[in-house]
Amino acid sequence: MEVLILLIIKWILCFFMTIYLFLIIIYYISWKQLKVFIGGVNQSFTTKVSIIIPARNEEDTITNCLNDILYQGYPKHLLEVILIDDNSSDNTNVLIKDFIVKNPILNINLITMTDARNIKAYKKRTIAVGIKKAMGSLMITTDADCRFEKNWINNIVSYYELNHPKFISAPVCFKEEKNFFERMQTLEFISLIGIGAAAINLGKPNMCNGANIAFEKAVYMEVNGYENTEHIASGDDMFLLLKIATKYPTDIHFLKSLDATVYTYPKKNIKEFYQQRKRWASKGMKYNNFSVTAVALITYFANLAWLFNLILVFFYHELFLLFIIQTFARMIVEIIFLFSISSFFKRKELILLYLPTFIFNIFYVIIIGASGSIGGYTWKGRMVK
């Protein structure tokens, strides 16, 4: 009986790891198939663009964000910035107004929201208000704590005018990491960007980041924006992506361009990281999309199987060889994929952090996956249940 149980356990462990490895290999191939786009230089643009930026308590970052937009090479007469101050309790609103006075060349429309009761989807609400006011035909959303290269808008619009997709997901990366933990976050984060890019290229979108997406306002209105998702606090990026992908499955693109990359900052400590990832996980089972759910479950159970195998090795030495084979197979596949992604971001040195990041991810994925739908989390000073 014990031999049979061990055999069943081996089959289960092999099944989950094999499916996971197959998935990562497919994503690696898809990522490599994506061509790097170079554009936006000396081009005559015609698209009216609205940059939508929700902001809440961003006094430390908002001026840098706006300065980066001010120095963009995109024609100012085709550009407007819609800033939505989501009931900030610091000097965010004052700093924005001061910037507007000092830089009249940049068309900035400041909308000041007030706090409202019985609202869960604060960010969706602010973005929706901004889009409603926007005069552009192409919406680009980002966050108030982000930084941009000078050809960021040029590259996005150049790609849009050449290919005419309905929705563009573009790269996001961390910068200015101050310690080991923050650099580990960067490696893990760019892996998510790579997976999201590869999935979009496969026609099965499962991930994007609202700090750097673009879409047609007409399409946003056509799919009724965030309607039917107002009860879910986060997910402004993914719910919109999936809505548009349902109607226009071949018109979702990933813009693989370093110049189109948005830069933001990692979380400073474990507590902030946990709250962020719990927020992300809280919406995981609410997408009503088979591809998204399947990838999440495969990843979760692959990590759980690895940990389960590690524990069983102490009781059943017969499983040691299987554990070693599966671990090295996973490490080889993941390192190859991550090296390609980190090379694109010109952060090859991050691959040296693979081993501690690998171990950390095993435990955080299992913990977050189990707790994501339980209890609440804090977000921008608000408690969300």
Side-chain angles (χ1 to χ4, degrees):
M1 178 62 72
E2 185 174 333
V3 174
L4 178 60
I5 292 174
L6 277 176
L7 183 62
I8 293 173
I9 290 173
K10 285 181 179 180
W11 276 106
I12 293 173
L13 294 175
C14 287
F15 172 77
F16 285 117
M17 190 56 65
T18 301
I19 294 296
Y20 174 78
L21 292 177
F22 178 76
L23 181 67
I24 299 301
I25 291 170
I26 293 297
Y27 282 159
Y28 168 72
I29 295 171
S30 181
W31 167 261
K32 294 292 287 185
Q33 287 175 342
L34 274 168
K35 295 181 180 179
V36 175
F37 178 78
I38 300 175
V41 180
N42 299 323
Q43 181 175 337
S44 297
F45 295 102
T46 59
T47 304
K48 175 71 174 179
V49 175
S50 297
I51 310 293
I52 311 296
I53 308 176
R56 175 173 166 81
N57 296 339
E58 300 288 359
E59 64 180 6
D60 294 331
T61 60
I62 189 64
T63 301
N64 285 334
C65 174
L66 291 175
N67 272 319
D68 285 353
I69 296 176
L70 176 65
Y71 294 122
Q72 292 290 306
Y74 198 71
K76 296 295 186 290
H77 70 282
L78 293 175
L79 178 66
E80 70 170 349
V81 179
I82 309 292
L83 265 161
I84 312 97
D85 177 22
D86 184 14
N87 195 44
S88 293
S89 57
D90 63 3
N91 289 321
T92 298
N93 197 281
V94 174
L95 291 172
I96 294 171
K97 290 177 179 178
D98 183 60
F99 188 92
I100 292 173
V101 171
K102 292 179 179 178
N103 300 280
I105 191 174
L106 187 60
N107 179 15
I108 301 178
N109 184 354
L110 172 61
I111 302 170
T112 303
M113 307 287 288
T114 55
D115 220 346
R117 295 182 178 180
N118 302 319
I119 292 289
K120 288 188 68 175
Y122 288 99
K123 190 175 181 181
K124 292 192 187 84
R125 179 184 67 148
T126 58
I127 294 175
V129 168
I131 293 173
K132 185 177 180 180
K133 296 285 186 180
M135 301 300 293
S137 59
L138 183 68
M139 308 289 104
I140 300 178
T141 72
T142 190
D143 294 326
D145 60 351
C146 290
R147 304 297 302 271
F148 323 98
E149 299 292 344
K150 65 178 181 179
N151 288 318
W152 169 55
I153 301 174
N154 283 23
N155 270 263
I156 291 176
V157 181
S158 179
Y159 185 88
Y160 171 74
E161 292 186 349
L162 181 65
N163 297 283
H164 300 288
K166 303 297 184 184
F167 186 102
I168 299 172
S169 173
V172 181
C173 186
F174 293 153
K175 65 180 298 184
E176 298 179 10
E177 305 94 337
K178 294 180 176 61
N179 53 51
F180 182 80
F181 177 60
E182 292 185 1
R183 287 191 289 275
M184 279 204 310
Q185 287 182 65
T186 303
L187 180 61
E188 188 264 349
F189 185 77
I190 63 173
S191 75
L192 301 180
I193 299 298
I195 289 171
I200 287 173
N201 189 50
L202 289 168
K204 300 291 183 181
N206 61 22
M207 208 177 303
C208 68
N209 192 292
N212 200 11
I213 59 174
F215 48 89
E216 295 177 345
K217 180 175 180 178
V219 173
Y220 171 88
M221 302 301 292
E222 185 180 352
V223 300
N224 297 316
Y226 303 118
E227 186 178 293
N228 299 324
T229 65
E230 299 95 334
H231 61 291
I232 304 170
S234 64
D236 51 280
D237 43 15
M238 274 298 296
F239 284 111
L240 185 60
L241 165 66
L242 294 175
K243 266 192 168 186
I244 297 176
T246 299
K247 192 169 186 64
Y248 297 100
T250 62
D251 290 319
I252 310 298
H253 292 198
F254 183 84
L255 172 52
K256 193 177 182 181
S257 168
L258 193 61
D259 286 336
T261 300
V262 163
Y263 295 90
T264 186
Y265 304 94
K267 296 304 176 183
K268 297 177 182 178
N269 52 58
I270 291 287
K271 182 179 179 180
E272 290 184 4
F273 177 84
Y274 175 77
Q275 292 297 326
Q276 179 195 59
R277 298 313 168 93
K278 188 171 184 181
R279 170 166 57 87
W280 291 1
S282 68
K283 64 200 177 194
M285 302 306 291
K286 300 175 183 177
Y287 289 127
N288 195 28
N289 180 283
F290 174 78
S291 177
V292 175
T293 303
V295 170
L297 290 176
I298 289 170
T299 304
Y300 182 79
F301 282 110
N303 284 284
L304 192 62
W306 184 90
L307 183 60
F308 188 55
N309 197 349
L310 174 62
I311 294 171
L312 286 178
V313 162
F314 292 97
F315 301 96
Y316 302 100
H317 300 308
E318 301 93 325
L319 294 174
F320 180 73
L321 181 59
L322 176 63
F323 175 75
I324 293 298
I325 292 173
Q326 289 192 341
T327 300
F328 275 94
R330 174 172 176 169
M331 291 175 67
I332 290 169
V333 170
E334 289 184 343
I335 287 173
I336 292 173
F337 186 31
L338 284 170
F339 185 77
S340 181
I341 300 169
S342 60
S343 296
F344 163 76
F345 283 107
K346 300 190 183 303
R347 298 295 306 274
K348 291 180 182 180
E349 77 283 357
L350 290 173
I351 206 69
L352 297 174
L353 301 176
Y354 170 77
L355 186 57
T357 305
F358 166 79
I359 296 171
F360 176 76
N361 281 0
I362 293 288
F363 291 95
Y364 112 71
V365 168
I366 292 172
I367 293 170
I368 294 295
S371 65
S373 299
I374 302 172
Y377 54 86
T378 57
W379 188 17
K380 296 290 184 180
R382 292 175 172 132
M383 184 63 193
V384 180
K385 297 181 179 181

